Amino acid sequence: MTRPSRWPAVLQAVMKGQPRAFADSHYPQWHPAPVTGLMNDPNGFIWFAGRYHLFYQWNPLDCDHRYKCWGHWSSADLVHWQHEPMALMPDEEYDRSGCYSGSAVDNNGVLTLCYTGNVKFDDGSRTAWQCLAEEQDDGSFKKRGPVLPLPEGYTGHVRDPKVWQHDGQWYMVLGAQDLQKRGKVLLFNSADLYSWQPCGEIAGHGVNGMTDAGYMWECPDLFALDGTHILICCPQGLAREPHRYLNTYPATWMSGAFDYQHAAFDHGELHELDAGFEFYAPQTTTAEDGRRILIGWMGVPDGEEMLQPTRAHGWIHQMTCPRELAYRDGTLWQTPIRELAQLREAEHQWQGNASDAPILDAARLEFEIAASHLNVDFGGAIRLTMDENGLRLERASLSTGETLTRYWQGEVRHIRVLCDRSSVEIFINGGEGVMSSRYFPVHPAQVRFEGASNITLRYWSLRSCMIE
Ligand code: FRU
């Protein structure tokens, strides 16, 4: 270790912070969230030796982005999580400005983390090292140091290695910015995880005729799904459109044919992965039974995040629920994983005029509605409108108070909504679209249905399931 240890400060922050966070009425009851400080991207999501592991970008010391460790949770079923020893702290020269995002692989039975060592200089410039760390018998991780310096032709913004194995070779995609400040996804390969060869750019500005693709692409994830390949990534600097790309930065996907021989990805257009107010930096893994599971950060950097009221309670942000992905009819479908049904208490059914529907407690709730016209009010703090144009989600700006709107356009027949104390996730038509958003109602908060149409409603209250 070459830098002063922050362990005493981290321990104190956790001891002081956890009781404050748990006393906050907005603290999630079944979504993973930090016990103190700021959490952002899911990292190192993997099923390994019989358990799922989910690491996360974590600043235990403050509700800001200045210090980045890797926290670590594990689970047998993706629903009940437990705390594991913190995995990485920025205590080496090559990661001194943060152990940034990355992935995990099973390297001959050794759980191995691939992450970005971020280094910022006093003149405002930065560099990045792609690094490895291996799990030890006591659950700690031993850093193996940098395995890839900044590739030539790019700025210091090269990060977020997603590594996988194919036909005995390792592959890695990286988010990058070229010297003209244009966003790219780079591909590398390796026989041993330690020595990496560049294979070129597989997406971003200038690839497959793409232009105006923003200035930096973060958190790429490339995988095979249902006969195609999907690339998920987070392009920064995409132009806002009237009904999409309205958040500071979007998370997007594209599908196409990936050719390992020529290291080329022949892909279609970009699509927004989630149409809600908060969703960014998702990561996927393969479940024990082969399902492709995605978890996202239910937050977005550089927008109104620093105005969220939970900061006053010493914590900020949460994960989305785990979602199963499928590719069908040219669309990427997302549905909550079936394991979440364990959280359901007794099922209720109701049919009739929307405005006569029962008023529900918003705190821990799942409901499904077959309808095409409807309004749903969540504790007076976020409002959903369903009509012939699709869905609109409205809430007040935390800075100006003006009404902000997010849209999902298309024919809506059915919605399934998962609520926690300060989040709603709306799954449209069985997963054709999703809108994920945080909101901060006064609890007890009510979900009220409004409108003249006839609806069929099924609902459950959900058990609380905190990380142990
Ligand atoms: C995405 C991101 C990544 C980076 C990490 C730092 O939210 O900016 O690109 O590795 O967060 O916390």
Side-chain angles (χ1 to χ4, degrees), residues 38 40-41 43 57-58 65 67-69 98-102 116 118 126 159-161 216-219 234 236 249 280-281 297 299-301:
L38 178 144
N40 54 303
D41 312 356
N43 291 159
Q57 286 285 285
W58 186 29
H65 289 275
Y67 184 73
K68 291 295 167 78
C69 304
C99 297
Y100 273 18
S101 287
T116 300
N118 190 42
R126 63 166 84 190
R159 57 178 171 264
D160 309 334
M216 168 65 193
W217 284 26
E218 295 189 319
C219 300
C234 296
Q236 299 187 317
Y249 312 122
Y280 199 65
W297 168 30
V300 180

XYZ file of all heavy atoms in Angstrom, residues 38 40-41 43 57-58 65 67-69 98-102 116 118 126 159-161 216-219 234 236 249 280-281 297 299-301, ligand 1:
301
model
N -22.394 7.418 -0.865
C -22.937 7.377 -2.238
C -22.601 6.063 -2.928
O -21.459 5.608 -2.868
C -22.355 8.541 -3.057
C -22.770 8.641 -4.518
C -22.913 10.119 -4.930
C -21.784 7.946 -5.452
N -22.932 4.238 -6.793
C -23.378 4.391 -8.181
C -23.337 3.060 -8.919
O -24.111 2.169 -8.535
C -22.739 5.585 -8.900
C -21.241 5.665 -8.900
O -20.610 5.681 -7.853
N -20.648 5.746 -10.071
N -22.496 2.882 -9.902
C -22.653 1.747 -10.820
C -22.603 0.370 -10.144
O -21.741 0.127 -9.295
C -21.512 1.730 -11.852
C -21.263 3.060 -12.500
O -22.010 4.007 -12.233
O -20.287 3.157 -13.275
N -21.059 -3.165 -10.339
C -19.769 -3.634 -10.867
C -19.648 -5.137 -10.618
O -20.258 -5.668 -9.676
C -18.594 -2.979 -10.121
C -18.415 -1.493 -10.385
O -17.795 -0.795 -9.594
N -18.931 -0.985 -11.465
N -19.867 0.678 -7.107
C -19.115 1.911 -6.891
C -19.622 2.540 -5.604
O -20.821 2.796 -5.459
C -19.337 2.872 -8.066
C -18.621 2.460 -9.317
C -17.125 2.734 -9.218
O -16.700 3.874 -9.318
N -16.326 1.690 -9.028
N -18.691 2.818 -4.687
C -19.136 3.261 -3.362
C -18.185 4.299 -2.786
O -16.972 4.056 -2.708
C -19.204 2.047 -2.428
C -19.777 2.316 -1.089
C -20.704 3.269 -0.760
C -19.480 1.618 0.133
N -21.010 3.202 0.577
C -20.269 2.202 1.142
C -18.634 0.558 0.460
C -20.220 1.756 2.464
C -18.598 0.121 1.764
C -19.385 0.711 2.754
N -19.013 12.215 -5.365
C -18.272 11.271 -6.223
C -16.754 11.380 -6.058
O -16.010 10.965 -6.942
C -18.647 11.524 -7.698
C -20.042 11.100 -8.052
N -20.379 9.817 -8.416
C -21.211 11.798 -8.080
C -21.672 9.740 -8.674
N -22.209 10.935 -8.473
N -14.549 9.974 -3.924
C -13.740 8.852 -3.459
C -14.466 7.582 -3.888
O -15.658 7.436 -3.596
C -13.642 8.956 -1.933
C -12.771 7.936 -1.264
C -11.391 8.000 -1.369
C -13.339 6.918 -0.497
C -10.590 7.068 -0.727
C -12.551 5.984 0.150
C -11.177 6.063 0.030
O -10.395 5.139 0.653
N -13.801 6.671 -4.627
C -14.515 5.494 -5.138
C -13.850 4.178 -4.761
O -12.735 3.883 -5.182
C -14.676 5.564 -6.663
C -15.641 6.653 -7.135
C -17.067 6.407 -6.682
C -17.957 7.615 -6.880
N -18.396 7.827 -8.230
N -14.601 3.400 -3.954
C -14.208 2.039 -3.595
C -15.117 1.065 -4.362
O -16.049 1.480 -5.037
C -14.446 1.795 -2.109
S -13.618 2.959 -1.028
N -9.484 6.813 -7.709
C -10.698 6.008 -7.697
C -10.532 4.649 -8.326
O -9.891 4.506 -9.367
N -11.095 3.616 -7.651
C -11.216 2.295 -8.260
C -12.519 2.345 -9.040
O -13.598 2.151 -8.468
C -11.247 1.203 -7.199
S -9.717 1.126 -6.251
N -12.426 2.671 -10.313
C -13.615 2.900 -11.131
C -14.211 1.573 -11.606
O -13.686 0.492 -11.343
C -13.256 3.816 -12.308
C -13.366 5.294 -11.978
C -13.382 5.747 -10.656
C -13.475 6.233 -12.990
C -13.496 7.108 -10.368
C -13.586 7.597 -12.709
C -13.597 8.026 -11.391
O -13.715 9.361 -11.121
N -15.290 1.701 -12.370
C -16.129 0.535 -12.685
C -15.408 -0.549 -13.476
O -14.417 -0.297 -14.165
C -17.361 0.982 -13.463
O -18.229 1.639 -12.594
N -15.982 -1.750 -13.423
C -15.444 -2.888 -14.149
C -16.273 -4.123 -13.879
O -17.404 -4.037 -13.390
N -10.998 -0.166 -13.482
C -10.182 0.942 -13.970
C -9.563 1.686 -12.797
O -10.278 2.127 -11.887
C -11.038 1.928 -14.800
O -11.587 1.216 -15.903
C -10.190 3.084 -15.318
N -8.212 4.961 -11.811
C -8.328 6.317 -12.350
C -7.309 7.213 -11.641
O -7.191 7.161 -10.413
C -9.755 6.817 -12.112
C -10.044 8.097 -12.849
O -9.654 8.251 -13.993
N -10.695 9.029 -12.180
N -6.017 13.559 -16.830
C -6.099 12.279 -16.137
C -5.563 11.154 -16.995
O -5.400 11.301 -18.204
C -7.535 11.967 -15.733
C -8.474 11.807 -16.904
C -9.779 11.177 -16.484
N -10.758 12.115 -15.946
C -11.884 11.735 -15.354
N -12.159 10.456 -15.188
N -12.752 12.628 -14.916
N -12.246 3.589 -19.861
C -12.559 2.905 -18.588
C -13.687 1.881 -18.717
O -14.260 1.702 -19.756
C -12.935 3.944 -17.535
C -14.088 4.853 -17.901
C -14.403 5.813 -16.736
N -15.346 6.833 -17.112
C -15.029 8.060 -17.521
N -13.765 8.422 -17.614
N -15.973 8.924 -17.859
N -13.975 1.268 -17.572
C -15.116 0.363 -17.378
C -14.973 -0.951 -18.144
O -15.838 -1.316 -18.969
C -16.446 1.062 -17.754
C -16.598 2.418 -17.074
O -15.997 2.601 -16.004
O -17.306 3.293 -17.622
N -13.876 -1.714 -17.899
C -13.669 -2.975 -18.626
C -14.770 -3.992 -18.332
O -15.044 -4.298 -17.178
C -12.317 -3.470 -18.088
C -12.164 -2.808 -16.747
C -12.844 -1.477 -16.872
N -18.263 10.839 -25.095
C -17.661 9.767 -24.283
C -18.685 8.666 -24.104
O -19.846 8.950 -23.822
C -17.264 10.332 -22.903
C -16.895 9.294 -21.859
S -15.400 8.377 -22.318
C -15.422 7.008 -21.163
N -18.254 7.420 -24.299
C -19.171 6.298 -24.045
C -18.676 5.549 -22.811
O -17.525 5.120 -22.756
C -19.225 5.364 -25.251
C -20.053 5.926 -26.387
C -20.305 7.245 -26.651
C -20.725 5.177 -27.403
N -21.091 7.362 -27.758
C -21.368 6.107 -28.245
C -20.853 3.818 -27.680
C -22.135 5.711 -29.354
C -21.594 3.424 -28.789
C -22.239 4.372 -29.611
N -19.573 5.376 -21.840
C -19.204 4.698 -20.593
C -19.879 3.328 -20.515
O -20.906 3.089 -21.139
C -19.670 5.533 -19.382
C -18.988 6.874 -19.266
C -19.314 7.588 -17.947
O -20.466 7.555 -17.507
O -18.397 8.180 -17.368
N -19.290 2.487 -19.682
C -19.896 1.222 -19.248
C -20.449 0.346 -20.377
O -21.628 -0.031 -20.364
C -20.995 1.498 -18.233
S -20.402 2.347 -16.772
N -23.393 3.636 -22.402
C -23.936 4.910 -21.921
C -23.214 6.057 -22.622
O -22.182 6.537 -22.144
C -23.759 4.994 -20.411
S -24.697 3.732 -19.534
N -22.376 9.675 -23.551
C -22.561 11.009 -22.963
C -22.493 12.035 -24.080
O -21.612 11.974 -24.934
C -21.474 11.293 -21.941
C -21.502 10.300 -20.794
C -20.542 10.658 -19.691
O -19.403 11.037 -19.948
N -20.984 10.527 -18.453
N -27.562 11.936 -18.980
C -26.949 10.916 -19.840
C -27.898 9.730 -19.934
O -28.480 9.342 -18.922
C -25.621 10.408 -19.264
C -24.669 11.477 -18.823
C -24.219 11.511 -17.514
C -24.210 12.446 -19.712
C -23.330 12.485 -17.087
C -23.324 13.423 -19.294
C -22.892 13.447 -17.978
O -22.022 14.407 -17.559
N -28.937 4.285 -15.103
C -27.637 4.500 -15.742
C -26.717 3.324 -15.433
O -26.926 2.575 -14.465
C -27.011 5.804 -15.218
C -25.915 6.335 -16.123
C -26.193 6.763 -17.408
C -24.597 6.389 -15.680
C -25.183 7.231 -18.247
C -23.582 6.856 -16.510
C -23.891 7.271 -17.792
O -22.897 7.728 -18.625
N -25.674 3.199 -16.254
C -24.558 2.283 -16.019
C -24.982 0.853 -15.663
O -24.437 0.260 -14.741
C -23.655 2.841 -14.904
N -28.036 1.104 -12.111
C -27.982 2.119 -11.052
C -29.231 2.991 -11.223
O -29.439 3.538 -12.310
C -26.705 2.942 -11.225
C -26.620 4.185 -10.407
C -27.184 4.402 -9.180
C -25.910 5.392 -10.735
N -26.873 5.674 -8.741
C -26.100 6.296 -9.675
C -25.148 5.781 -11.838
C -25.544 7.573 -9.674
C -24.591 7.054 -11.840
C -24.780 7.934 -10.773
N -29.966 5.918 -10.749
C -29.470 7.275 -10.570
C -28.839 7.717 -11.871
O -28.644 6.898 -12.783
N -28.542 8.988 -11.980
C -27.866 9.539 -13.162
C -26.885 10.590 -12.650
O -27.255 11.405 -11.806
C -28.872 10.216 -14.130
C -28.148 10.786 -15.344
C -29.950 9.256 -14.568
N -25.648 10.575 -13.142
C -24.702 11.578 -12.655
C -24.969 12.969 -13.246
O -25.576 13.087 -14.309
C -23.345 11.061 -13.129
C -23.621 10.080 -14.216
C -25.038 9.620 -14.090
C -20.523 5.778 -14.705
C -19.102 6.131 -14.271
C -18.079 5.201 -14.906
C -16.945 5.264 -13.929
C -17.670 5.344 -12.608
C -16.976 6.152 -11.546
O -21.468 6.219 -13.800
O -18.807 7.471 -14.566
O -17.712 5.531 -16.215
O -16.112 4.153 -14.006
O -18.933 5.923 -12.884
O -17.679 6.070 -10.342
